[in-house]
Amino acid sequence: MNKLPVAEQAPSLSFDLFEKMKDHEQVVFCNDPETGLKAIIAIHDTTLGPALGGTRMRQYETMEDALEDALRLSKGMTYKCAAADVDFGGGKAVIIGDPLKDKTPELFRAYGQFIETLNGRFYTGTDMGTVLDDFVHAYKETNCIAGLPEEYGGGGETSIPTALGVLYSIQAVAKTLWGHEDLSGKKFAIQGLGKVGFKTAEHLLQAGADLYVTDVDPCIVHVLTEKAEEMGRIAVSVSSDDIYGVEADMFVPCAIGGIINDQTIDQLKVQAIVGAANNQLLHESHAEKLKQKGILYAPDYIVNGGGLIQVADELYGPNRKRVLAKTEAIYRSLLEVFSQSDALHVTTVEAANHICEKRMDARKHRNSFFSPRKRNKWDVRL
Ligand SMILES: NC(=O)C1=CN([C@@H]2O[C@H](COP(=O)(O)OP(=O)(O)OC[C@H]3O[C@@H](n4cnc5c(N)ncnc54)[C@H](O)[C@@H]3O)[C@@H](O)[C@H]2O)C=CC1
Ligand SMILES: O=C(O)CCC(=O)C(=O)O
């Protein structure tokens, strides 16, 4: 075979792309210079159904960081879908840009067009840095949007069930640690007061808890501390660096991933970690380190499944009551993970992964049955 002259060979990257995505089915790079859209869609595994996962908008320092985020987040979605028992696989996307400055309707329409080219392999909605209205623009170009505002026939804000799922998870952890779910007088350290973190903080204040809070946006911290005061509770504002070392009962990460690592574990003084942020552990091995330190870790993809439950359910037609009932199952799922982790002497992450992998394996065989016509499982009337 003729070899290409060196000058005509594909330029090399500073990392091996195929090695990086070796667990993934597909990665799509979307580029539209006219609108400035630069996005990466990562599809991890479609064993259970088409990929589903929100779209994050963030100003990444490097392309490699953006790719890494999309790959890690989409893998998490595969497990989250299996844990929540929905007929979707794992996917996720990132848009590279500043959510405060770079958003335009045209950018989201261009993004919708790229999603449409995937012909139903990828469904998406909000994540960090994006809001429901962004996807109203994308919806003009593709039907594969899950997580529309109620006035567009969608289920509305996903952070509502997500924050409720975090509360149920905190109650499950309280029951495991203390034998009861009463949170009054307990202290929680919350990182990130965005769509999910703020609502979680409100639930905890209503339950009689006191808070340490941090966010890169000082205005939102001020709103929360005022709210706590009105409710006769205490919310202490701390710096981004100090949140890890406060003396609280539980740490509730609701912002970025990778925040549980060697440096932060050394600082933690909490009994448990239960939060909405995706990919909280820098590496899965940090689950073992937490176990050794006696900190109960509630696996993130179980705790934060409420949003997924809502968007997956939305395709049957929106129904908040049904979504909230399904979200309650997160409490029982977590207790099952804790009990398996105890019984098998493994970390809570290993126990959760094992439950999900067994479920995917069982479903894989069912999906291979002959069917005269393939249809998506939520298209119940087709
Ligand atoms: N929105 C949802 O329904 C779901 C969200 N998640 C995850 O939960 C986390 C939060 O999501 P949302 O609330 O939707 O995002 P958001 O964008 O509404 O809020 C994130 C908040 O974190 C703050 N933040 C960013 N970096 C920070 C840092 N280093 N320290 C402190 N605060 C920081 C931001 O200023 C913002 O207020 C993300 O990891 C997301 O992937 C997971 C499942 C569903
Ligand atoms: O919001 C969505 O579109 C699905 C849920 C999701 O992305 C997540 O749970 O991280």
Side-chain angles (χ1 to χ4, degrees):
M1 202 202 307
N2 279 341
K3 274 189 147 183
L4 283 174
V6 174
E8 289 177 31
Q9 285 171 8
S12 64
L13 293 166
S14 62
F15 54 90
D16 182 341
L17 183 56
F18 282 98
E19 178 57 27
K20 250 189 195 312
M21 60 172 281
K22 67 179 188 309
D23 296 334
H24 286 68
E25 288 179 14
Q26 189 177 15
V27 178
V28 183
F29 291 83
C30 314
N31 181 39
D32 182 43
E34 213 171 288
T35 59
L37 174 76
K38 280 190 170 43
I40 304 173
I41 300 171
I43 297 180
H44 176 253
D45 186 303
T46 55
T47 302
L48 296 183
L52 171 63
T55 299
R56 174 171 291 194
M57 186 162 185
R58 199 170 165 204
Q59 217 166 16
Y60 292 93
E61 276 181 22
T62 65
M63 281 297 288
E64 195 170 350
D65 289 348
L67 175 64
E68 188 72 30
D69 214 17
L71 293 175
R72 273 169 59 89
L73 287 164
S74 55
K75 184 172 178 188
M77 287 308 295
T78 298
Y79 284 82
K80 199 183 299 194
C81 288
D85 205 10
V86 298
D87 290 320
F88 283 97
K92 201 96 180 178
V94 298
I95 295 178
I96 300 156
D98 183 340
L100 296 178
K101 292 195 208 127
D102 298 332
K103 280 185 185 175
T104 58
E106 291 71 30
L107 181 138
F108 278 91
R109 283 186 82 134
Y111 181 52
Q113 287 177 346
F114 278 108
I115 294 169
E116 186 63 12
T117 64
L118 292 172
N119 207 16
R121 263 175 72 68
F122 177 62
Y123 284 69
T124 196
T126 58
D127 190 70
M128 226 171 95
T130 56
V131 293
L132 294 186
D133 282 344
D134 299 330
F135 292 93
V136 171
H137 305 298
Y139 187 48
K140 291 177 181 160
E141 305 290 348
T142 179
N143 272 330
C144 295
I145 300 298
L148 283 167
E150 280 165 304
E151 57 275 26
Y152 282 84
E157 191 49 63
T158 52
S159 54
I160 297 171
T162 305
L164 265 180
V166 178
L167 178 69
Y168 297 145
S169 302
I170 287 173
Q171 288 168 340
V173 168
K175 180 88 180 154
T176 306
L177 289 176
W178 309 316
H180 61 79
E181 294 164 10
D182 183 7
L183 305 179
S184 55
K186 300 291 182 192
K187 293 190 180 65
F188 295 84
I190 306 184
Q191 180 182 49
L193 292 173
K195 298 188 293 291
V196 182
F198 196 92
K199 294 180 186 74
T200 303
E202 288 179 313
H203 288 312
L204 291 172
L205 291 172
Q206 269 152 18
D210 293 318
L211 310 176
Y212 292 99
V213 291
T214 189
D215 196 292
V216 287
D217 174 0
C219 302
I220 198 73
V221 174
H222 183 68
V223 175
L224 197 270
T225 49
E226 296 256 290
K227 184 156 200 137
E229 213 176 303
E230 279 164 28
M231 294 169 76
R233 309 281 354 144
I234 302 165
V236 180
S237 163
V238 298
S239 74
S240 296
D241 289 342
D242 289 345
I243 195 72
Y244 304 106
V246 295
E247 303 245 3
D249 294 291
M250 296 187 207
F251 177 47
V252 186
C254 293
I256 46 169
I259 36 79
I260 305 297
N261 51 48
D262 289 341
Q263 286 74 38
T264 58
I265 292 176
D266 285 346
Q267 298 171 51
L268 289 172
K269 298 190 182 75
V270 292
Q271 296 181 57
I273 301 173
V274 198
N278 278 308
N279 296 337
Q280 292 163 25
L281 305 180
L282 186 59
H283 302 296
E284 267 188 28
S285 59
H286 288 114
E288 181 58 39
K289 201 164 174 188
L290 288 171
K291 190 169 186 260
Q292 280 165 16
K293 204 173 164 178
I295 297 176
L296 182 60
Y297 179 66
D300 46 15
Y301 66 74
I302 309 244
V303 174
N304 67 19
L308 166 71
I309 289 169
Q310 173 164 307
V311 295
D313 188 85
E314 178 176 315
L315 298 161
Y316 291 101
N319 185 317
R320 174 129 310 175
K321 217 169 138 194
R322 193 170 60 211
V323 168
L324 295 184
K326 287 186 184 177
T327 305
E328 274 178 32
I330 290 176
Y331 179 98
R332 295 187 292 279
S333 298
L334 257 193
L335 291 185
E336 188 193 345
V337 166
F338 294 154
S339 105
Q340 292 259 336
S341 148
D342 273 352
L344 303 173
H345 305 288
V346 294
T347 66
T348 52
V349 172
E350 286 166 323
N353 287 352
H354 182 64
I355 293 169
C356 293
E357 280 157 13
K358 255 175 67 186
R359 192 169 281 168
M360 283 188 270
D361 208 43
R363 199 71 62 74
K364 186 155 73 188
H365 301 303
R366 283 196 103 40
N367 281 353
S368 67
F369 283 162
F370 172 75
S371 161
R373 186 166 63 93
K374 279 242 179 217
R375 68 169 176 87
N376 289 322
K377 294 188 178 60
W378 63 83
D379 286 340
V380 281
R381 291 192 186 84
L382 286 185

